Amino acid sequence: MGTGDYISAEAAHRVEMPPPQPFINSLRNSLMETFFPDDPFRQFKNQPAPRRFVLALQYFLPILEWAPRYTLSFFKADLLAGITIASLAVPQGISYAKLANLPPILGLYSSFVPPMVYAFMGSSKDVAVGTVAVGSLLTATMIGKEVKATENPALYLHLAFTATFFAGLLMASLGLLRLGFIVDFLSHATIVGFMGGAATVVILQQLKGVLGLDHFTHSTDVISVLRSVFSQFHQWRWESALLGFCFLFYLILTRFISKKRAKLFWISAMAPLVSVILGSLLVYFTHAEKHGVQVIGNLKKGVNPLSVSDLAFGSAYLTTAIKTGIITGVIALAEGIAVGRSFAMFKNYHIDGNKEMIAFGTMNIIGSFTSCYLTTGPFSRSAVNFNAGCKTAVSNIVMALAVMITLLFLTPLFYYTPIVVLSAIIISAMLGLIDYQAAIHLWHVDKYDFAVCMSAYIGVVFGSVETGLMIAVAVSLLRVLLFVVRPKTSVLGNIPDSKIYRSVDQYPTACNVPGILILDIAAPIYFANAEYLRERIVRWIDEEEEKLKASGEISLQYVILNMSAVGSIDTSGISMMDEVKKIIDRRGLKLVLVNPGADVMKKLTKSKIIEKIGNEWIYLTVGEAVSACNYMLHSCKPNYSSDNPETWSSSSNNV
């Protein structure tokens, strides 16, 4: 058997080029895989027009899908869960509205209309809709930089509604255009650091309410806040501070009890409402409002008034509202979807991320028309809903109706509610967002992710909320760029007594194959990394030749590129491959390729690179490539009973 015959036999498992496909079909398939990986249209195929209409309605209104199967036992569970989360929603809503420098009544408005909308459009059974502390803080800081709530409350309010509209528009657009993957740029490490930093800032901001201060800095960084606190040392109200720390201790104690015994979750869930009631009674009977304890005051009765005409589209501060809406919308979307997915995993059901975006967007758009500000699915409220045993989104309807009753009949009861109690409620909720255990886990698992987390935290605490977010996203994107620009390459060796080839750095027992350099490229080849890969391959060749020359072993003859992980290549990458081929040819070496992907094979063929290399030097596995190269290095056919180089023999009996 001649050399040519042997190579033909080895090339039997040849890498095939995919069948030719029109460009328009290739583009369509790529777009479908990018924007519709879940193939939402499969349910519409081979369906009559009336059925398609019903399916379309069910897609945008999931309640139409599960409502026919709704039972009385489900309603009993949802009723209990809805009443439970309403007891949390009322004090939280008032507290977070104050945090956003908005009238407290808006917190109740935002817990009435948006949950009703979500109940019809949301795909999660467990998400409980409401305002969130981080969104409230972002609203206060970003709009407050341009318009002070104390100096021009009407304009500030209108800008908050406008920002909510644009946040909803962004959310709905991302869902309709299937662009939810944009939110994935907020990595887990980014969210942990950002949420922890925002929670720290919110806690520091509550020192104003705890200490009963009338004037406070509008900046959110820790230096400005502490300077504002200690510069007014003589104005601290010990009565307010004592009341605040007592209620904070009570709230933390109830949370501790609920964590120790899961069945006692209702103790922590009811604690904010109990605090509001006890605080109001204490102020009422002791007249503490006359001794430095600030109270909410009047909350007007009635459900949400329309605010469509209040949207400030013609305002000089429209840009501020748009920017606030975009940033708060992305953060709210990331939190809401993450919460929904977390609880869906516990109950083993699936939620559609794009449906959730459409639902969140629609409820915020409608909310901006009905005197609501930014809402999403907060973790604390959703956790209570989950632990209370909710079965469907009807729990949101029950909560909304309970808030409606509060708006119609019970708002006068909140007149004596101390602001310091609201501050204690916020601090207690924020302590749960400082996930130091997650940060410690990041440190042990991935130092770079820990750096991203701490960048976000430090940026928020010592800069501003926007600064921390931008730093964290920038660091995360930098990491992605580093992976793309500096892809992993490694030298492969043979694992003794096997046909397996692995990195010699990871597996010290892996043996280098004499005269053959096997390189693994573990990334697509693009313009951003093509030059680096060319230089890296040449450097590997230089190092291998120097090592072989120093050891006196057989000189380098073959360079094998394992391209199994190279899923795609652009024209810069093709040029790089051509240059590498020329460099290797000038050195008297032979280039061998292993398992290039379909897209790579097609482009290399069209660019004539495969023709220059030779079809007979393209192999399916590293083992086949090494066997062929080793055969050419010996006068006779080697023994192929093992792919271990140490067992190869040049005996003529093996020919």
Side-chain angles (χ1 to χ4, degrees):
M1 181 184 292
T3 302
D5 294 333
Y6 171 71
I7 294 175
S8 298
E10 281 299 314
H13 297 139
R14 186 169 292 162
V15 177
E16 299 290 344
M17 197 178 87
Q21 189 177 33
F23 171 74
I24 190 68
N25 291 346
S26 178
L27 178 63
R28 184 181 69 240
N29 292 338
S30 297
L31 292 176
M32 287 293 293
E33 188 61 28
T34 300
F35 297 107
F36 302 98
D38 54 347
D39 190 13
F41 303 115
R42 64 183 182 277
Q43 59 181 333
F44 294 95
K45 295 176 182 177
N46 304 320
Q47 296 288 344
R51 179 58 182 166
R52 290 184 182 183
F53 177 74
V54 172
L55 290 173
L57 280 180
Q58 290 179 346
Y59 181 84
F60 290 102
L61 297 172
I63 193 173
L64 298 178
E65 183 179 353
W66 54 261
R69 303 190 301 272
Y70 197 71
T71 64
L72 181 61
S73 62
F74 281 8
F75 177 71
K76 291 178 180 178
D78 289 336
L79 179 64
L80 176 62
I83 293 174
T84 304
I85 56 176
S87 66
L88 177 64
V90 171
Q92 261 193 359
I94 295 173
S95 303
Y96 293 159
K98 288 290 292 181
L99 179 61
N101 291 329
L102 293 168
I105 194 68
L106 260 66
L108 298 182
Y109 291 161
S110 301
S111 297
F112 173 44
V113 171
M116 295 286 281
V117 176
Y118 182 82
F120 284 84
M121 301 188 68
S123 62
S124 172
K125 302 175 184 178
D126 303 285
V127 166
V129 171
T131 55
V132 287
V134 175
S136 301
L137 177 66
L138 282 167
T139 300
T141 54
M142 297 185 71
I143 298 179
K145 284 182 179 179
E146 304 294 334
V147 179
K148 298 294 184 289
T150 53
E151 297 173 3
N152 196 340
L155 178 58
Y156 182 90
L157 180 63
H158 296 169
L159 290 175
F161 292 150
T162 309
T164 302
F165 172 81
F166 282 109
L169 188 64
L170 172 72
M171 295 175 181
S173 299
L174 291 178
L176 290 170
L177 298 176
R178 315 285 294 187
L179 297 174
F181 58 84
I182 293 176
V183 179
D184 293 337
F185 279 101
L186 293 176
S187 65
H188 172 68
T190 301
I191 293 175
V192 169
F194 176 78
M195 288 296 186
T200 303
V201 168
V202 170
I203 290 172
L204 292 173
Q205 289 281 331
Q206 298 317 300
L207 292 176
K208 175 186 177 183
V210 172
L211 299 175
L213 300 175
D214 295 319
H215 305 286
F216 207 70
T217 179
H218 294 288
S219 301
T220 58
D221 63 282
V222 62
I223 304 299
S224 299
V225 171
L226 293 179
R227 185 184 295 120
S228 180
V229 168
F230 288 103
S231 65
Q232 303 181 71
F233 179 78
H234 58 286
Q235 297 181 17
W236 291 8
R237 309 272 188 172
W238 69 266
E239 302 93 339
S240 178
L242 178 63
L243 191 62
F245 282 114
C246 287
F247 278 105
L248 180 59
F249 175 77
Y250 165 70
L251 291 166
I252 294 175
L253 180 63
T254 58
R255 173 172 292 186
F256 176 79
I257 293 172
S258 296
K259 281 186 176 181
K260 286 294 183 181
R261 294 183 176 273
K263 292 183 179 180
L264 299 179
F265 72 92
W266 55 272
I267 294 179
S268 178
M270 297 291 290
L273 184 60
V274 172
S275 298
V276 167
I277 294 172
L278 292 178
S280 300
L281 291 174
L282 183 63
V283 170
Y284 178 78
F285 286 113
T286 63
H287 301 288
E289 77 277 9
K290 298 179 181 178
H291 301 282
V293 178
Q294 301 171 344
V295 296
I296 290 179
N298 286 317
L299 293 178
K300 67 178 180 181
K301 283 185 179 182
V303 295
N304 305 34
L306 293 177
S307 56
V308 180
S309 59
D310 294 335
L311 298 180
F313 293 131
S315 171
Y317 300 101
L318 179 62
T319 304
T320 300
I322 294 174
K323 184 173 75 169
T324 303
I326 291 173
I327 293 179
T328 57
V330 169
I331 295 299
L333 200 57
E335 180 177 0
I337 292 178
V339 168
R341 286 175 176 169
S342 298
F343 290 114
M345 180 182 66
F346 284 124
K347 288 189 176 180
N348 195 27
Y349 69 92
H350 173 71
I351 67 168
D352 188 321
N354 289 292
K355 284 184 184 180
E356 289 294 282
M357 294 178 200
I358 295 171
F360 286 144
T362 304
M363 76 184 189
N364 276 289
I365 291 173
I366 296 176
S368 68
F369 297 160
T370 53
S371 300
C372 304
Y373 78 105
L374 184 74
T375 53
T376 184
F379 178 80
S380 58
R381 201 176 297 189
S382 300
V384 170
N385 194 32
F386 174 83
N387 289 323
C390 69
K391 298 297 183 182
T392 68
V394 169
S395 59
N396 276 282
I397 298 177
V398 174
M399 175 187 70
L401 293 176
V403 172
M404 181 190 71
I405 293 172
T406 302
L407 286 167
L408 290 173
F409 305 109
L410 304 179
T411 50
L413 299 179
F414 293 97
Y415 180 91
Y416 288 102
T417 299
I419 290 177
V420 66
V421 171
L422 302 181
S423 296
I425 292 172
I426 293 175
I427 292 173
S428 173
M430 290 303 97
L431 289 174
L433 292 181
I434 304 177
D435 195 350
Y436 65 90
Q437 291 179 333
I440 294 173
H441 179 71
L442 290 174
W443 169 259
H444 290 301
V445 175
D446 191 327
K447 300 294 191 296
Y448 196 101
D449 265 353
F450 178 78
V452 172
C453 174
M454 293 309 299
S455 296
Y457 182 85
I458 293 171
V460 172
V461 172
F462 290 95
S464 65
V465 176
E466 310 98 285
T467 302
L469 183 61
M470 287 189 291
I471 290 175
V473 172
V475 174
S476 297
L477 289 177
L478 178 62
R479 184 181 192 183
V480 174
L481 288 175
L482 286 175
F483 285 154
V484 173
V485 176
R486 295 292 182 266
K488 182 69 174 176
T489 59
S490 58
V491 175
L492 302 184
N494 177 253
I495 302 296
D497 301 320
S498 77
K499 298 181 180 182
I500 300 171
Y501 291 81
R502 292 293 183 266
S503 169
V504 295
D505 291 330
Q506 184 176 357
Y507 298 90
T509 58
C511 304
N512 289 320
V513 183
I516 303 172
L517 175 62
I518 311 169
L519 300 178
D520 182 61
I521 302 176
I525 304 175
Y526 296 121
F527 65 93
N529 61 24
E531 182 62 22
Y532 166 77
L533 285 173
R534 185 191 67 81
E535 294 176 355
R536 193 69 186 91
I537 291 171
V538 172
R539 199 177 344 140
W540 279 123
I541 295 172
D542 290 338
E543 291 173 359
E544 184 69 12
E545 287 184 328
E546 290 175 5
K547 184 175 70 173
L548 292 175
K549 185 177 180 180
S551 63
E553 296 179 13
I554 184 172
S555 62
L556 183 63
Q557 299 293 324
Y558 295 93
V559 177
I560 299 176
L561 295 184
N562 180 20
M563 303 182 70
S564 300
V566 182
S568 58
I569 190 171
D570 67 356
T571 53
S572 298
I574 292 171
S575 298
M576 182 276 291
M577 291 294 295
D578 194 29
E579 289 181 33
V580 169
K581 175 69 172 67
K582 292 176 181 177
I583 292 170
I584 289 177
D585 287 346
R586 283 197 297 267
R587 297 192 180 203
L589 308 177
K590 184 63 184 177
L591 177 63
V592 183
L593 301 184
V594 172
N595 195 30
D599 183 61
V600 177
M601 192 70 179
K602 180 175 66 175
K603 292 181 180 179
L604 291 179
T605 301
K606 288 185 176 181
S607 60
K608 309 295 184 182
I609 302 295
I610 296 297
E611 183 179 325
K612 295 177 183 178
I613 296 174
N615 282 313
E616 68 275 15
W617 293 107
I618 314 295
Y619 293 92
L620 188 63
T621 66
V622 174
E624 288 182 357
V626 171
S627 297
C629 295
N630 185 74
Y631 174 83
M632 299 300 294
L633 287 171
H634 297 78
S635 58
C636 299
K637 184 178 178 181
N639 181 358
Y640 291 103
S641 60
S642 171
D643 270 5
N644 183 358
E646 296 178 357
T647 67
W648 288 336
S649 170
S650 59
S651 171
S652 59
N653 294 330
N654 294 324
V655 177

